C-alpha cells in the first residue's frame, strides 16, 4: 500500500517564507525517501486554473490566488481545503488560522492531523477582530482535528485544557547543526567573528526588539548588534522608535534571505539575542542552538524549555542591559554557554529525531484502505 500525505497550511515548496515551510520541506523530502507519496498545496500570485508540478519527488498543487496579504492566504486555504476534501490519504494541516475550513474534511471523514502552532490569538500585533478569529479557529482546530500536534510542552498543556491529553502529541521543531561557515560572508557586512551579536526577528513589540536595542544602546559597547529584519520607519511607528533608540553600534542590514549568510551570521556571533515573549518552539531559537550560539533570551516558560539552563535570561530592558554588561566584559567566556546550546540542541531538536517522530505518528494515523 502506498502511503499518501497531503500537506496544507503553508505557502508552498521549496521553502521561502518561514519556519513551517522549512519544516514541511524537510518532512516532505524525508517521507519521499521512505516511499511515501507527498502532496503539497502551494499559493500562487496568479490567475487561472489549478495546475500541478513535481519538485524533488514531491507533488505540488498550485492554487492561483489573485489577492495579496491575509485575505489572499484565507482564500488560498479555502480553495486548498475544497480540493483536498476530494482526495484520498492522510492530511497534515500546519497551523490553525483557518481551521474552520477543515470542518469540510471532517464531514467527509478524512483523517486530518493539525499542528496547532503557538497561541496566535495572544500576540500583541493583532487587533480585536483578528484575535477573535484566531481564538475561534484554535477552538475549532481542537474539535475538528482527528489528532493535534504541539511543538512545545506548554502548548500541549494549553491544548490539554481544551481536549483530552490523549488527543495531543508533542513534537518540537527541528534544525540543522552548524559546525562551520564561510567567514567571508560576514566580512562582506563589515563584521568580524565574535565582535557582534545577532537578533533575527520580526520587529514587533512582542519580540522585545525595542527593549533589546535600548538595553544595548545604553552605553558604548565596542561591539556590534546586528538586527535582521525588514524595518519601515516611514510607515511603522514602532520601527521608527527602534531605529531612533539605536546607537551607532547597531547595524540594520535588512532582511537577508541567503541561508549561507544567515548561517555564517549565527555561527560567528558572540551571542544570539532572542526576545520572543509568546509562542511555542521558535524556529530561530532552535537554529541558534544548532549553531552553538551563546543565547540571551526573554525569560518566559517557552524560551526556558527550548534554550535550557545554559542560556541567560532577561525580564526587562534593565536586566537585558546587565546581561550585555556581563557578556561583553573582557574576562567573560562564552564557551560554556555555547557548549550548553549544542547539548540542548542534540537532546531535542535534530531533524533526524523530529522527522522520525513525525513519520511514526503519521504512519499510525494513515487510513488502511
Amino acid at each position: 500500500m502506498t502511503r499518501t500525505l497531503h500537506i496544507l497550511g503553508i505557502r508552498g515548496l521549496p521553502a521561502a517564507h518561514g519556519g513551517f515551510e522549512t519544516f514541511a520541506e524537510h518532512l516532505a523530502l524525508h517521507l519521499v525517501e521512505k516511499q511515501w507519496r507527498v502532496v503539497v498545496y502551494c499559493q500562487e500570485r496568479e490567475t487561472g486554473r489549478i495546475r500541478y508540478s513535481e519538485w524533488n519527488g514531491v507533488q505540488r498543487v498550485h492554487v492561483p490566488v489573485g489577492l495579496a496579504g491575509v485575505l489572499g492566504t484565507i482564500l488560498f486555504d479555502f480553495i486548498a481545503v475544497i480540493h483536498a476534501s476530494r482526495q484520498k490519504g492522510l492530511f497534515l494541516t500546519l497551523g490553525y488560522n483557518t481551521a474552520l475550513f477543515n470542518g469540510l474534511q471532517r464531514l467527509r471523514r478524512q483523517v486530518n492531523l493539525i499542528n496547532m502552532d503557538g497561541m496566535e490569538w495572544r500576540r500583541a500585533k493583532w487587533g480585536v477582530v483578528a484575535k477573535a478569529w484566531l481564538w475561534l479557529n484554535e477552538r475549532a482546530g481542537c474539535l475538528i482535528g482527528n489528532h493535534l500536534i504541539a511543538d512545545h510542552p506548554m502548548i500541549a498543556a494549553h491544548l490539554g485544557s481544551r481536549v483530552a491529553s490523549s488527543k495531543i502529541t508533542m513534537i518540537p521543531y527541528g534544525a540543522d547543526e552548524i559546525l562551520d561557515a564561510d567567514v567571508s560572508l560576514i566580512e562582506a557586512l563589515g563584521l568580524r567573528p565574535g565582535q557582534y551579536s545577532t537578533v533575527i526577528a520580526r520587529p514587533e513589540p512582542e519580540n522585545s526588539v525595542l527593549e533589546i536595542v535600548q538595553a544595548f544602546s545604553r552605553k558604548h559597547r565596542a561591539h556590534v548588534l546586528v538586527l535582521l529584519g525588514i524595518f519601515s520607519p516611514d510607515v511603522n511607528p514602532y520601527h521608527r522608535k527602534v531605529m531612533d533608540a539605536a546607537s551607532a553600534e547597531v547595524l540594520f542590514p535588512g532582511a537577508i534571505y541567503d541561508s549561507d549568510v544567515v548561517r555564517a551570521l549565527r555561527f560567528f556571533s558572540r551571542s544570539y539575542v532572542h526576545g520572543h515573549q509568546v509562542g511555542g518552539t521558535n524556529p530561530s531559537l532552535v537554529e541558534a542552538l544548532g549553531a552553538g550560539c551563546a543565547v540571551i533570551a526573554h525569560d518566559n516558560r517557552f524560551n526556558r524549555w527550548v534554550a535550557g539552563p545554559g542560556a541567560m535570561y532577561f525580564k526587562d530592558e534593565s536586566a537585558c542591559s546587565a546581561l550585555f554588561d556581563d557578556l561583553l566584559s573582557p574576562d567573560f567566556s562564552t564557551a560554556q554557554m555555547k557548549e550548553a546550546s549544542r547539548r540542548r540542541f542534540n537532546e531535542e531538536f535534530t531533524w533526524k529525531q523530529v522527522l522520525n517522530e513525525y513519520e511514526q505518528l503519521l504512519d499510525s494515523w494513515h487510513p488502511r484502505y
Side-chain angles (χ1 to χ4, degrees), residues 295-313:
V295 171
I296 299 176
H298 184 271
D299 191 358
N300 59 66
R301 56 186 179 166
F302 302 106
N303 294 339
R304 277 195 173 271
W305 181 80
V306 176
M312 300 168 71
Y313 297 93

Side-chain angles (χ1 to χ4, degrees), residues 169-342:
T169 297
M170 199 290 290
I171 308 176
Y173 188 82
D176 293 315
E177 186 170 20
I178 300 175
L179 299 173
D180 58 60
D182 183 352
V183 71
S184 69
L185 296 176
I186 66 161
E187 292 173 342
L189 296 172
L191 301 170
R192 292 185 296 168
Q195 299 301 306
Y196 68 94
S197 293
T198 306
V199 180
I200 303 177
R202 291 188 181 93
E204 298 167 352
E206 68 193 38
N207 293 339
S208 311
V209 177
L210 179 59
E211 291 86 345
I212 292 168
V213 169
Q214 289 174 329
F216 181 83
S217 301
R218 282 189 175 192
K219 61 180 71 172
H220 178 70
R221 301 287 185 180
H223 192 77
V224 177
L225 182 67
V226 182
L227 265 70
L228 267 66
I230 299 174
F231 285 81
S232 305
D234 294 334
V235 297
N236 189 308
Y238 183 76
H239 294 184
R240 168 53 60 192
K241 193 178 293 187
V242 171
M243 297 187 81
D244 286 346
S247 71
E249 294 177 299
V250 180
L251 177 66
F252 296 90
I256 297 177
Y257 298 107
D258 187 322
S259 60
D260 289 335
V261 177
V262 177
R263 172 192 183 105
L265 279 168
R266 283 197 178 98
F267 184 74
F268 291 111
S269 64
R270 181 165 179 80
S271 68
Y272 175 79
V273 190
H274 187 77
H276 291 59
Q277 300 175 28
V278 180
T281 298
N282 182 270
S284 188
L285 181 53
V286 173
E287 288 160 2
L289 298 178
C293 294
V295 171
I296 299 176
H298 184 271
D299 191 358
N300 59 66
R301 56 186 179 166
F302 302 106
N303 294 339
R304 277 195 173 271
W305 181 80
V306 176
M312 300 168 71
Y313 297 93
F314 64 92
K315 279 289 189 183
D316 53 27
E317 178 194 332
S318 295
C320 186
S321 181
L323 291 184
F324 278 126
D325 291 344
D326 292 340
L327 186 77
L328 301 179
S329 63
D331 57 348
F332 188 94
S333 171
T334 61
Q336 287 188 338
M337 293 179 68
K338 289 176 177 289
E339 182 182 342
S341 289
R342 290 202 181 277

Side-chain angles (χ1 to χ4, degrees), residues 13 32 38 51-62:
L13 296 183
V32 166
V38 180
R51 59 183 177 85
Y52 305 88
S53 71
E54 184 174 307
W55 174 79
N56 288 345
V58 179
Q59 297 177 30
R60 299 186 296 183
V61 181
H62 301 273

